[in-house]
Amino acid sequence: MDGLRGALLRLDLRLRLAVDGTRTELAERARDPFRGLCISEAEVDELLAGVPPAEAARALLAAAPAAATPRLGSLAALFGLNQAAQEVLLICLAPELDLRYERLYAYLQDDVGKRRPTADLVLRLLCRSFEERVAARSLFSPITPLLGEGLLQLADENAATWPLLARPLRVDERVVSYLLGGRELDTRLDDWVRLFPPPPAAEVPAPANEAVESLAQLLRAARQEPCDRLVVYLQGPPGSAKLATAWAACAAAGLGMLAVDLPALVGRGQPENGLALAGREALLQGVVLALDGLDRLLGDDERALPWRAGARRLLERRPGSTILLGEARWEPAVWAPLAGAVRVELTSLGPAARLRLWHDEARTELSPEDLANLASRFRLDGEAVRAVTIAARGRARWRGQGPALLEDFRAAARVVAAPQMENLARRIEPRYAWDDIVLPLDGHARLRELCDRARYHATVLDDWGFGRKHARRTGVTALFAGEPGTGKTMAAEIIAGELGMDLYRIDLSAVVSKYIGETEKNLERIFRAADQGDAVLLFDEADALFGKRSEVRDAHDRYANVEIAYLLQRLEAYDGLAILTTNLRGNVDEAFMRRLDCVLEFPLPEEEERLAIWRRVLPPEAPLASDVDLPFLARRFKLSGGHIRNIALAAAFLAAPEAGQITMRHLVRATRREHQKLGRLMAERDFDQYAPLLGGA
């Protein structure tokens, strides 16, 4: 309480000073009833008290050098501002430093409402003659740095259509902050820009690989020649760590980096001058500008046209270094012909490179075997691996049980690597294990072989060199064929659970479009997201997409064949695990069959297998009556596992209102209901000795 009383005493002292000052100001207003409505001569003299009279002022202006500050000099060097442009900035900056300039400007413009300098006032302050003022109008041209780089802005949004001389001007808030020594990031960029500050001089890291070292050398050379412009395009597929490579090279060169998320800039309706603001911010921060996701601007999306034009203007005139990141084959010299333009192709990180990333981040918690497992399992770059490590340690702290475990890292990695499917697919949480599925012995063996193929395909293709002989086949594709309810989707869930991967079922209603070309675009988004993430793709009822090509009789046939041809090519280039299911194997195009790594038939179960299914679909917790005859049900009714599961569930709901047990009566009634649903007529004699239990149902 004593400390609080002392703090309140300091506040009382400040209030005393403020009250006395207000009383003095009120007394002055009482003597001048028009104060605030006009600027009197006496008030102007008071505002300029201490400033030499006109003749002395004129002599001092002629003799004294132009005023400057270190930050103003830096700004002038960055944007090529001449002395006149710097004077304009100072005139417009003055009201941000002292409000007395607002009253002086209002007096000179003969309007108490005009508290910001107009272009006319600026020219009158800087120029002596009419001819000089006409020549100096070029300072306010849109192509000059003052307005072209956004250093100056209109103080009134409605003034854009006014005559130039009548437009009030102010210095942009971020430029004001810079001139006053501020280093904070422009808040208008928060949603789609990340700032990577330069490392301390004593902590500049060594280049991690040859690509990082070469790019760092280019950046250092460009830094020594500030007038030179360097544009580097890092091109690579998902998982090639483009952003991580750019940041590592900047850090190795002792530089910071400002990364712009172009898809976020275009997709979220950000202002069209966003790229110009980002380019200016990179200059003010003294860092390299990186434009990530360049493909968003290179496509045919009309929404990206304004930002594409802005990016071209930025590269054509921006000094310093700019790094572009994308997947498409494209030459940066197209947009920056006068700059040093370099394209660098990056490849996806291999298991060895990913292992080094995991080792650097998690070697204190995990064994070499666990690190190798994570490196082969998840295709993550350095930033994602760092995020996984932080999340895994957070999970361990939540449990309060020592260091993070392998399961913590796996769970965090699955979330970080989860693909963004844009509502085109639904994530399925794997619920089944090997004991839940009933298949012939060969079927079980082939499912496990498929798991091994997905688990070790990187070892075989990369470490054992088979990738050089089979360069076009990098993923694993399987077809599950069989009658409905024979366990195809269950098998996909089991495989995903065994591999520790997320399972995504493709939503055909969202993918297939009546508009030409839209289906292919939707599928491309799915495959691209799956390439960037780490998931099993399940194409349920795949014959709807992978059907046979037909003879071309009209335009519809032609475009349908184009869709199938696209799928053939894209499925072959997919780097993950894709599972196709179909009830009609004969409807699948033969070209797909050649590209499949595994074709597994799911037959209808025989009696012994049906009995095993009946025993597994009834949970141990279910109250089962002693009269239940599962061997009879397995022998008498030739059903698939899916139908048996439906019958067991329906019997449970029939028994629940009676608050008793699941009896044979409930099971036979549920069996009849299932056959009725399938359109199969059944007589009471089909239930043999249990026919009386139907009770007319």
Side-chain angles (χ1 to χ4, degrees), residues 446-447 450 473 476-482 488-489 491-492 495 537-544 546-547 571 577-602:
R446 295 181 68 182
L447 283 181
L450 180 61
R473 297 302 311 277
V476 180
T477 308
L479 174 68
F480 295 167
K488 302 183 293 297
T489 304
I495 290 173
L537 292 183
L538 175 60
F539 291 88
D540 217 354
E541 309 296 340
D543 45 295
F546 298 85
L571 193 64
L577 172 59
I579 297 177
L580 289 62
T581 72
T582 180
N583 301 332
L584 301 169
R585 175 177 174 177
N587 286 354
V588 178
D589 194 286
E590 288 299 322
F592 284 113
M593 305 300 290
R594 180 181 64 81
R595 290 166 168 81
L596 296 173
D597 299 296
C598 172
V599 177
L600 181 58
E601 292 284 350
F602 284 72

Side-chain angles (χ1 to χ4, degrees), residues 302-313:
E302 293 185 359
R303 293 176 299 174
L305 291 178
W307 289 276
R308 183 188 307 171
R312 296 195 65 164
R313 288 194 300 269

Side-chain angles (χ1 to χ4, degrees), residues 215-233 246 250 253 255-258 278-279 282-283 286-291 314-315 317-324 339-340:
L215 181 54
Q217 291 177 354
L218 288 176
L219 294 174
R220 281 192 291 264
R223 188 182 188 184
Q224 295 172 0
E225 299 292 339
C227 294
D228 289 348
R229 291 185 292 130
L230 173 67
V231 178
V232 179
Y233 177 43
C250 292
L255 299 169
M257 185 177 76
L258 188 76
L283 290 176
V287 298
V288 175
L289 178 65
L291 304 182
L314 187 69
L315 295 180
R317 67 188 185 189
R318 183 180 184 275
S321 300
T322 305
I323 300 177
L324 308 176

Side-chain angles (χ1 to χ4, degrees), residues 232-244:
V232 179
Y233 177 43
L234 298 183
Q235 177 214 334
S240 55
K242 297 183 287 293
L243 187 61

